[in-house]
């Protein structure tokens, strides 16, 4: 990257998830084709420490670069700076030069989102402000458009949710427990502060595994107990695969985003994004 750009943006501090659709699309255009002259996606995958079997599996994908980035960005230390370093090591400075402006724009948007403070901030007392809960907490609490309640077995769908809602023009900011919450934080503190104060809404990923999770059940019931009432503002249930168990009765009064019905899949993400974007 140019010296002037590097002096303004600390790429190592910005997670790879900050890169939006346009950057990822152009990266794929450069890296997907096999090239005997320049390094392609397979060399980047090796530098990301993917195994031989993983790389061979990605070869079957229509867009291996996109899948590679989706998987890599969930790993610790997956930053924009690290990706740029991989491209430089692979001698693909042509890609960096072409995408520099788009990458800088995405990084600045990410940094701006970190500074945004919603209406609830004045209500947060000093005790909350002094305690870090999420990885990007600073002098002020990090705020989110939605808290995602899910069980571990549904994590792959949460990855897709991140891709569809954060890394596209919707530009939403989700609080995903495994990615955003600092280890060692009290479960009660996480639930009460994130759901009640820092997140405008809560998306509940419903599945048979979710119904077996005590932690998910607790978080959902807590959100429903909030005043002035979760029914008009807080909860959005999402079903993404067929279920054998009955749908939880405490959520039946809420409209469900159903990904299992082929007739609604085409506008599923548009509908969910609009619900999360409302004031």
């Amino acid at each position: 990257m140019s010296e002037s750009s590097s002096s303004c943006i600390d790429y190592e501090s910005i997670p790879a998830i900050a890169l939006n659709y346009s950057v990822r699309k152009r990266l794929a255009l450069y890296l997907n084709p096999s090239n005997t002259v320049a390094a392609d996606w397979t060399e980047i995958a090796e530098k990301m420490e993917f195994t031989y079997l993983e790389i061979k599996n990605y070869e079957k994908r229509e867009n291996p670069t996109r899948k590679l980035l989706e998987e890599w960005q969930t790993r610790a230390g997956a930053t924009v700076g690290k990706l740029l370093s991989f491209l430089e090591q692979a001698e693909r400075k042509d890609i960096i030069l072409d995408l520099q402006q788009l990458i800088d724009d995405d990084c600045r948007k990410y940094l701006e989102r970190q500074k945004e403070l919603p209406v609830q901030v004045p209500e947060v007392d000093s005790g909350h402000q002094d305690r870090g809960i999420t990885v990007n907490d600073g002098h002020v609490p990090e705020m989110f458009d939605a808290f995602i309640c899910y069980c571990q077995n549904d994590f792959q769908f949460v990855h897709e949710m991140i891709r569809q809602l954060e890394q596209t023009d919707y530009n939403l900011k989700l609080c995903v427990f495994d990615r955003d919450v600092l280890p060692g934080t009290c479960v009660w503190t996480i639930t009460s502060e994130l759901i009640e104060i820092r997140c405008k809404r809560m998306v509940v990923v419903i599945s048979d595994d979710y119904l077996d999770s005590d932690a998910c059940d607790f978080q959902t019931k807590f959100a429903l107990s909030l005043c002035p009432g979760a029914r008009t503002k807080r909860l959005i249930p999402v079903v993404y695969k067929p279920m054998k168990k009955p749908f939880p009765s405490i959520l039946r009064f809420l409209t469900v985003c159903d990904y299992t019905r082929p007739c609604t899949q085409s506008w599923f993400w548009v509908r969910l994004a609009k619900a999360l974007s409302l004031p």
Side-chain angles (χ1 to χ4, degrees):
M1 308 298 279
S2 70
E3 184 177 348
S4 60
S5 175
S6 298
S7 64
C8 298
I9 301 174
D10 179 10
Y11 299 105
E12 291 295 339
S13 68
I14 299 176
I17 57 170
L19 297 178
N20 218 320
Y21 174 77
S22 296
V23 171
R24 293 163 186 266
K25 181 179 179 180
R26 291 192 67 83
L27 277 171
L29 290 175
Y30 273 111
L31 295 174
N32 278 345
S34 297
N35 197 322
T36 57
V37 178
D40 59 16
W41 69 272
T42 58
E43 185 165 337
I44 303 301
E46 290 175 356
K47 295 184 182 301
M48 291 176 174
E49 298 185 350
F50 282 90
T51 66
Y52 171 79
L53 289 177
E54 288 174 321
I55 294 173
K56 294 300 291 184
N57 186 59
Y58 293 155
E59 287 178 350
K60 302 174 184 177
R61 300 277 182 166
E62 181 180 353
N63 189 338
T65 299
R66 185 179 72 178
K67 183 62 178 177
L68 183 71
L69 291 172
E70 288 174 3
E71 294 293 333
W72 178 69
Q73 70 186 13
T74 65
R75 298 183 176 183
T79 65
V80 173
K82 189 67 68 66
L83 178 60
L84 294 173
S85 175
F86 292 151
L87 290 170
E88 288 183 356
Q89 293 171 29
E91 298 184 353
R92 293 307 307 265
K93 292 184 179 181
D94 57 317
I95 299 178
I96 298 175
L97 289 173
D98 182 40
L99 300 187
Q100 177 173 320
Q101 188 59 54
L102 289 174
I103 291 173
D104 285 358
D105 289 345
D106 282 353
C107 289
R108 291 192 180 97
K109 288 177 183 177
Y110 174 83
L111 293 172
E112 288 171 4
R113 288 201 302 268
Q114 305 310 303
K115 298 177 182 178
E116 290 176 356
L117 298 176
V119 177
Q120 296 99 316
V121 168
E123 300 175 6
V124 181
D125 61 32
S126 59
H128 283 98
Q129 292 182 16
D130 292 338
R131 181 179 61 243
I133 291 180
T134 65
V135 295
N136 290 312
D137 276 349
H139 295 296
V140 293
E142 187 178 18
M143 314 307 294
F144 303 87
D145 293 299
F147 178 88
I148 311 301
C149 180
Y150 62 95
C151 71
Q152 286 298 316
N153 288 345
D154 298 324
F155 201 30
Q156 284 301 113
F157 181 75
V158 176
H159 284 178
E160 179 65 7
M161 190 177 292
I162 291 172
R163 188 178 74 82
Q164 293 284 352
L165 300 179
E166 288 191 343
Q167 298 165 3
T168 61
D169 289 338
Y170 297 127
N171 215 23
L172 293 168
K173 187 177 181 183
L174 309 179
C175 181
V176 178
F177 188 93
D178 295 270
R179 180 190 67 178
D180 299 306
V181 177
L182 288 173
T185 308
C186 171
V187 173
W188 169 254
T189 299
I190 293 170
T191 303
S192 61
E193 183 164 345
L194 288 179
I195 298 177
E196 186 174 12
I197 300 173
R198 299 197 187 194
C199 303
K200 292 194 297 183
R201 286 174 177 80
M202 176 175 172
V203 174
V204 185
V205 180
I206 308 292
S207 67
D208 288 335
D209 293 314
Y210 160 90
L211 296 177
D212 290 332
S213 170
D214 291 335
C216 290
D217 181 65
F218 169 73
Q219 290 173 351
T220 304
K221 288 179 178 176
F222 178 87
L224 283 167
S225 71
L226 296 174
C227 294
R231 302 179 184 221
T232 59
K233 178 182 178 182
R234 292 282 187 175
L235 258 67
I236 302 175
V238 168
V239 177
Y240 80 99
K241 62 182 179 181
M243 296 174 57
K244 296 180 181 179
K245 297 181 180 181
F247 192 84
S249 58
I250 60 171
L251 297 176
R252 284 178 180 164
F253 57 83
L254 295 170
T255 303
V256 178
C257 278
D258 192 347
Y259 193 70
T260 65
R261 298 166 57 196
C263 62
T264 63
Q265 283 186 3
S266 61
W267 60 76
F268 175 87
W269 295 112
V270 175
R271 189 166 173 241
L272 180 57
K274 186 173 182 179
L276 296 179
S277 299
L278 293 173

